[in-house]
Amino acid sequence: MTQTAHPDTVLIIDFGSQVTQLIARRVRESGVYCEIVPFQSAEEGFKRLKPKAVILSGSPASTLEIGSPRAPSVIFDSGLPVFGICYGQQTMCAQLGGKVEGGHHREFGRAFLEVEKECALFDGLWSVGSRHQVWMSHGDRVTAIPEGFQVVATSANAPFAFIADERRKYYAVQFHPEVVHTPDGAKLIANFVHKIAGIKSDWTMSAYRAKAVEAIREQVGDKKVICALSGGVDSSVAALLIHEAVGDQLTCILVDHGLMRKDEAASVVAMFKEHYNLHLLHIDASDRFIGELEGVSDPETKRKIIGRLFIEVFEEEAKKLGGADFLAQGTLYPDVIESVSFTGGPSVTIKSHHNVGGLPERMNMQLVEPLRELFKDEVRVLGRELGLPDSFIGRHPFPGPGLAIRCPGGITREKLEILREADAIYLDEIRKAGLYDAIWQAFAVLLPVQTVGVMGDGRTYEFVCALRAVTSVDGMTADFYHYDMEFLGRAATRIINEVRGINRVVYDVTSKPPGTIEWE
């Protein structure tokens, strides 16, 4: 979809940090539109977006390395406000005449800032002499600041933890304000975009809805669209938005690949046929998908097989419909960013099953992706705008590859059925306990190991089932949900008693630092 213009935009230059998305989340939460661009194409992004302010992200790189990432000079020549974070601070200083060194005391984790001078970024937040928790993650550090900068706050191991050149509206911090471990970080970022850059809070889903509908109509015209409807929140919101724009020109296709949760396909079809006037086709392609996936153990290979088969099925269905000019899918902004290495960006490729780079030429179709500017929580808000029920909007995220990546190791039909039953019981117990809305994502995993157990008077040699439940605000960081043992005992007992093929249940209590929270 042709992206709509946003007159008040913040440009975020990504140097490869795993938490760059969180910077964007904090900017969006303040009611301001922003986009992330990899440093390699930052100058092009700057000219295209015409931003009102720029934020420089962190990075695993070192400014001391030959060829390490840099911000394009046009950023500093523009006269715009600039906020450098961690590596962003270091490259600012290196490029503007300061100095960065390695070999000093590394700092990872919680630290405390001492505010030493007044700063416009502290307005209504911090005062001289106050002390505040922040989150550090750096090896190198700034040892000399450029002319015009002043130190406004320090930490025990970072004498230049917070520096500012108020005249040029340049601000730079060694810590990460975007993570929740810096309690006042979101407010600092909000101060930067509102009070320093002077941008108003006019990024709303109501405004986005109107612009998106207009953009879809402009792109599609009077042509036909088929939409990949998985039954998840993302594809459902995309389908309703496109239907609002082009009506009967849209045909939704739900491809049941045999990797969905128990009874999910039937419930999705029922909801859309009963409550929405959409043309929906339900295609049972489970034999085709599982046939190609059987025995495949590598998770990346699984994803690529699934992505390829989806395209093939949609291509075939489009021909049956007499052709279609557009394929719509619920691609989100994190999908785009996490797949950016396809276009030479610094981030790790995660969403390889998404066709974010375009469709095969043979399809002669264009992608319609009306949500590709949005994060998951923004999609939920848009879903409410479009009238989706809260019970549906609040569904836990479920990946496109479905149970294929919840079944590590080789896939078989038997293992998928075992997992499907265990997963259904687990979610049923969560709902009965009234915990579903308190958990961001929960699922069962069938581990590729079998253990000896005693059930009744006989020995068994069956699979181990792992249960996962996490809380998350943004989908980037996650902490395990703190169940009480009574709940875990009840859920485990039901799974072992009711699912033939499982004789042991474990609970995954690992927390996830910033990054994907999928099992594989």
Side-chain angles (χ1 to χ4, degrees):
M1 187 180 74
T2 303
Q3 291 186 337
T4 53
H6 301 281
D8 294 325
T9 296
V10 173
L11 171 66
I12 301 170
I13 298 179
D14 180 19
F15 294 114
S17 169
Q18 60 181 340
V19 292
T20 299
Q21 284 191 47
L22 294 185
I23 302 173
R25 286 302 310 116
R26 304 301 167 246
V27 174
R28 296 276 185 94
E29 286 166 2
S30 71
V32 173
Y33 181 74
C34 63
E35 282 194 28
I36 300 171
V37 297
F39 69 89
Q40 297 97 324
S41 57
E43 185 166 352
E44 180 277 328
F46 180 83
K47 293 176 180 177
R48 172 175 57 86
L49 294 170
K50 298 179 175 59
K52 295 292 180 67
V54 179
I55 298 178
L56 309 178
S57 85
S59 174
S62 167
T63 59
L64 305 177
E65 298 170 353
I66 296 174
S68 57
R70 292 289 185 270
S73 58
V74 67
I75 301 299
F76 301 114
D77 294 338
S78 67
L80 294 176
V82 182
F83 190 7
I85 294 174
C86 197
Y87 182 91
Q89 181 201 55
Q90 294 169 10
T91 196
M92 271 182 82
C93 289
Q95 292 181 242
L96 296 176
K99 188 175 181 181
V100 179
E101 295 180 358
H104 293 273
H105 184 84
R106 298 188 303 168
E107 201 169 18
F108 297 95
R110 187 177 291 103
F112 291 90
L113 285 190
E114 300 284 348
V115 177
E116 300 189 352
K117 290 186 179 180
E118 293 288 348
C119 175
L121 216 57
F122 300 161
D123 187 27
L125 188 60
W126 292 350
S127 58
V128 175
S130 58
R131 189 169 184 261
H132 305 278
Q133 178 184 309
V134 297
W135 192 261
M136 295 283 190
S137 180
H138 65 97
D140 300 343
R141 75 180 188 189
V142 173
T143 55
I145 56 178
E147 184 178 349
F149 280 83
Q150 291 185 318
V151 177
V152 294
T154 63
S155 72
N157 294 306
F160 301 106
F162 203 135
I163 61 175
D165 180 340
E166 301 268 35
R167 182 183 64 83
R168 291 187 285 181
K169 296 184 178 179
Y170 289 170
Y171 302 87
V173 297
Q174 185 59 76
F175 58 92
H176 285 274
E178 68 271 33
V179 302
V180 295
H181 310 82
T182 300
D184 293 326
K187 295 177 182 177
L188 286 171
I189 292 174
N191 273 355
F192 175 71
V193 298
H194 293 313
K195 298 183 178 181
I196 305 302
I199 303 175
K200 296 179 181 178
S201 297
D202 59 1
W203 170 249
T204 66
M205 283 303 99
S206 177
Y208 184 87
R209 174 184 180 179
K211 289 180 180 179
V213 166
E214 181 182 343
I216 293 166
R217 287 172 179 162
E218 181 180 348
Q219 181 187 9
V220 172
D222 59 357
K223 304 292 178 58
K224 294 180 181 178
V225 185
I226 58 173
C227 178
L229 182 62
S230 69
V233 175
D234 306 335
S235 64
S236 299
V237 171
L240 290 181
L241 192 61
I242 295 167
H243 187 255
E244 181 174 309
V246 299
D248 292 341
Q249 294 167 234
L250 171 69
T251 298
C252 293
I253 301 175
L254 189 153
V255 177
D256 185 352
H257 50 17
L259 305 168
M260 301 176 80
R261 283 175 153 157
K262 187 175 181 179
D263 299 328
E264 183 142 19
S267 64
V268 170
V269 170
M271 186 189 78
F272 276 92
K273 286 194 172 181
E274 289 174 13
H275 300 287
Y276 301 98
N277 188 27
L278 289 175
H279 182 207
L280 173 61
L281 302 178
H282 177 199
I283 308 299
D284 184 356
S286 55
D287 287 342
R288 182 172 181 174
F289 277 79
I290 297 173
E292 286 213 32
L293 287 167
E294 277 192 300
V296 176
S297 58
D298 178 66
E300 188 65 13
T301 302
K302 292 177 186 177
R303 291 174 182 273
K304 289 180 178 178
I305 290 172
I306 291 166
R308 172 176 58 79
L309 290 176
F310 266 127
I311 290 296
E312 290 178 4
V313 172
F314 289 126
E315 187 177 23
E316 293 163 8
E317 294 304 317
K319 289 179 180 177
K320 293 177 185 177
L321 293 168
D325 300 279
F326 296 93
L327 172 64
Q329 59 184 23
T331 302
L332 302 190
Y333 197 40
D335 302 327
V336 177
I337 298 305
E338 290 169 356
S339 303
V340 75
S341 61
F342 282 127
T343 56
S347 301
V348 175
T349 301
I350 297 173
K351 302 292 187 180
S352 55
H353 61 280
H354 283 269
N355 302 294
V356 295
L359 298 170
E361 287 187 15
R362 70 173 191 276
M363 291 190 72
N364 195 29
M365 297 171 71
Q366 297 179 47
L367 281 173
V368 180
E369 297 174 308
L371 310 181
R372 68 179 284 128
E373 294 181 348
L374 303 183
F375 287 91
K376 173 70 83 172
D377 57 317
E378 293 172 324
V379 173
R380 294 189 195 281
V381 176
L382 181 57
R384 291 188 180 94
E385 284 271 341
L386 292 165
L388 277 171
D390 284 342
S391 60
F392 187 83
I393 289 171
R395 296 175 74 189
H396 293 177
F398 192 62
L403 299 181
I405 58 167
R406 303 290 184 245
C407 188
I411 291 178
T412 66
R413 295 170 192 271
E414 179 189 14
K415 288 167 68 176
L416 287 173
E417 285 307 311
I418 291 171
L419 175 56
R420 208 183 322 269
E421 291 299 320
D423 186 73
I425 291 170
Y426 179 38
L427 292 181
D428 182 54
E429 286 298 322
I430 288 173
R431 289 191 175 94
K432 285 179 177 176
L435 300 176
Y436 190 85
D437 292 337
I439 296 169
W440 190 80
Q441 185 183 48
F443 53 86
V445 178
L446 193 68
L447 299 182
V449 293
Q450 292 177 278
T451 62
V452 174
V454 176
M455 299 179 70
D457 295 322
R459 288 185 179 275
T460 63
Y461 185 60
E462 296 177 326
F463 287 104
V464 178
C465 175
L467 304 181
R468 177 88 165 123
V470 296
T471 57
S472 180
V473 174
D474 43 51
M476 284 293 292
T477 58
D479 191 15
F480 68 91
Y481 187 79
H482 293 251
Y483 287 126
D484 59 48
M485 291 305 297
E486 182 180 349
F487 171 86
L488 286 175
R490 187 166 61 248
T493 298
R494 272 199 66 190
I495 290 171
I496 291 171
N497 285 344
E498 297 178 30
V499 183
R500 187 176 297 277
I502 294 174
N503 66 4
R504 193 177 305 274
V505 175
V506 298
Y507 183 56
D508 178 3
V509 296
T510 55
S511 295
K512 288 288 185 180
T516 180
I517 62 170
E518 292 183 359
W519 188 269
E520 293 184 0

